[in-house]
Amino acid sequence: MKVFYLKKHFFLVLLVLTALGANAQTGALLGKVLDETGLPLPGASVQIKSLNKNTLTNADGTYKISGLSNGTVSLLISYVGYQSKQESVKINGNTVANFSLKPDAQSLNEVVVVGYGTQTRREVTGSISKVTGDKLTAIPTPSFEASLQGQAPGVQVTQGSGLAGSGSIIRIRGIGSISAGGDPLYVVDGIPITSDPFIGDNRGGMNQNPLATINPNDIESVEVLKDAGAAGIYGSRGANGVILITTKRGKLGKPVISLSSKYGFTTYANRPEFVSGPEWLQLRQEAWANDGNTGLATLPNGLSWEVAEQNNTDWWGLLTKTGHTNDQSVSYSQGTERIKAFVSANYSNNESFLKGNAYQRYGMRTNIDVKATSYFNASVNVAYDRGTNTRVNAAWGGGLGDAMSTALPIYPVFNADGTYFNKGANPVRNVDLLDWKSVTDRVIAGATLEFKPVKDLSIKAIANIDNMDVEENQFQPAALRDQTRGYANSWPVKIFNNTFTGTANYDLHLGEKSKISFLAGVETQLSYRNRYPGGIYGEADGPFNKDLKSYNDAVTLLGAGTLFYVARDEKDTFESLFARINYSFDNKYYLQVLARRDGSSKFGPDNKYGYFPAASASWYISEENFLKGNKVLSNLKLRTSYGLVGSSQFRSGQYAAFFNPGSIYNGTNSVYPDNIANPGLKWEEARNFDLGLDFGFFNNRISGEFAYYHKKTTGALLNGAISPSTGFLTGWVNVGTISNEGLELSLNTINIQSDSFKWVTRLNVSQNKNKVLDLGGFSPDAVSGGTNDTRIAIGYPLGVNFLVRYKGVDPADGLPIWLNKDGYETKTFSLDDRVITGQVLPDYVGGLTNTFTYKGFELNTMFTFAIGGNLYDGSAKRQLGVVTDWNMRTDIADRWQKPGDIARFPRLTLNTNTYPGLASEWQYNSTMFLYDATFVRLREVTLSYAVPVTFANKLRLNNLKMFASGMNLLTFSKYPGGDPEIARDFVNAQDRNMSPNVTYLTTPQQKSLTFGLSTSF
């Protein structure tokens, strides 16, 4: 019995112990990882290093680690861009533990996209600024690149105008070209894309913007490569910087659907003020009397005073309205260890404040990543977007430009019989009757195959396309032409851009502290376009895309004359070899050496190939033993780079002689010489030096970057200055040396940080000094900035104002006083007295952002600014000068009217000869219309509220965020002529480079108020 009793208790004890042991091994740790506002962080890492257990959070921020014994474990919770956290948790069965991470602006483990790969921020040796996708969608800009304004030091962004779909001018560390393009290279998911703003010329006073088709809601981040250490890997296309656009991809976790909905209202940010009808008549009569005339003054276009006095037309009010913006986006994300997918669709409609003007975009994207095996990966990206630009005339083309010029307030909109007034400018008639649309279909797609045959070796084959089809149709009905039949124009353009890239990357570990990474690659790119250089035109009964009979008749008629369709026009090819070596030692010392050889069909047979090497290095001083544990200094990194980059942004084949079709002569087709041959034409080359210091103090409560750079461009491309004796009109030559030297400061401060309230300030400011060092013997008059009164002169910035200096008004007789070339006063105006004057570029540009967070609320404000420099108002010489058939600004109130008056503007006159030497009001090129260009703009104000996750979960949502955002709500400027931020319509790249401070009837930017929400489930 005792034996049986002992056995029974033994088995009972064993059963209990087994149960306890089983229970000890089936405990679990679960919970959520959230950001500082309570939103989930999908993909955050939760690790128990001692047990070699780890997991990633799902899309809703949840995680679970099973098979844990009871007891205390040490956890490491980390997420890219956030401060890692170590916590001890006591496990007792199923244990719940939630964690909150705080952002780390200087996280050294943050992943940064570089050319042909990625690096952690610690490994980066070049100058790179990163802008996350949420910054690009905060305000409804006409195109995503405008949202980069004020976000990165050394990047000057000037938004084009308030026209829907308009582009922006971006200059990265200055401008180093004369006639070639000065814009950066844009790369989307490794695809160099077409971004030329002159694809459709500047018809109607507006350049087409190919970037407007890209959906900003699909963008994960934008990296701006600024120096040779970063942009040098792109060789012949890196001189103006590189903008890398990375789109969103599927994330590990269960399926998540995200929605974004925005709706807003727009109007103009600033406007010039014009006189009323009665005031205009008064000015006209005053000028008439000043000229010694009696009676009533004559009026433009034979208009009678009886009719004129009955009108006080507010053309600006008739052409503008409260516009609406509508932006809807939905995306699907899912990921497993084998396959990740991101699918999105979007629709947006941006109605500008101009009546009849809108840009509508819709599109879809699919990004798929497949890990087929441990040694083979593949990815596919396909994006299709359609942008429909409903256009109106602007600037010199009419529309609002007419309201600022020849549409006088004494003109009526309609005649007495109800027909449109047509004896003078009537922009309402044009807006009501003109049918003008430009439709752009764009496909950006690519496929990547990655093979890893051995450890640390990766071989990639990448094939990409960027194909664009532009169909622009304009129709003027018979009533608009005052003819019996309408007239149609069509300008179709098809652009093909195909790229193949092959790379091999190998990581070699030399012990525990040393690592070398090798990258070698080959790339080929073929780009061409098909187009009708002069367009298709002729009489029609509707737009050509609707009136096919008239279209066929026009094509037949034009085709009978001469060849007008050009297939593979401006075809160019690139063939490149490149390599990069990165060396790191002890997480403190980093070295990078790279080189690229580019061959291009754009250049002559003597210079088909260019070689572009660069080297960069960085030293983490704060990691040295003598600084470790320092309570003040958190981070100190010194970096430098030097290298050679190039620029090839101009039309293909300009080294060859061109002959254009001419008129019929004696029954035979003729040609005339255009471009003269130059077989020695080659790349512009820029030698870049960069020295930067990244810093952080007090656990990165204060952090930032200070940098100095010097960029010297040699062999700058110039189109023009050809001797008439050659018989050719133009010719491309390498001439000129241009330097850009500057300083950049980026400063981030966490001013207040508590459990419920946080205040963060971000400031970036940059200064760039541009100077022409050599012009190959050409004089300033040899190179002009179109009609913009700018020139190039040695020792001055590229494209300086070339004007007669205005001293003031003689109080005795009201006549203007000028300064001649030698600085002596004169009352005789002469264009021979024009001198280099004013300051084209601002002294400083930048942005100041403040973010206030209180529990779920966040208030974000951003001011952008430009300090110094001058603005030349090319339209003011007609709005403030001689009284002609133009409208007049209210500034003219400060004018001379009687002897003894001290005034800004001289006495009014109808005759330019009243001002001795002035032959025409168009020649009134003087500093009278040169203004201080300094401005500060409240670019963004956003107030958002993130609903607590617990409440969102009750609605079966992962998160819910609501916001209201204002753009360009306030502008502080001394300029009285409207919007001080200028990016007017440009005729060509040279005009765009040389005239950054000239405005002419420019449509102001838009002011907007937007409401929206975002959620996921």
Side-chain angles (χ1 to χ4, degrees), residues 153 271 309 428 454 490 529-530 548 584 883 971:
R271 60 159 293 180
E309 289 177 327
V428 171
V454 296
S490 181
R529 71 178 183 178
N530 299 341
L548 297 181
S584 63
V883 181
T971 303

Side-chain angles (χ1 to χ4, degrees), residues 485 539-552:
R485 197 174 180 208
E539 290 192 337
D541 299 315
F544 277 148
N545 59 329
K546 297 179 181 178
D547 183 5
L548 297 181
K549 182 181 182 304
S550 296
Y551 171 81
N552 292 329

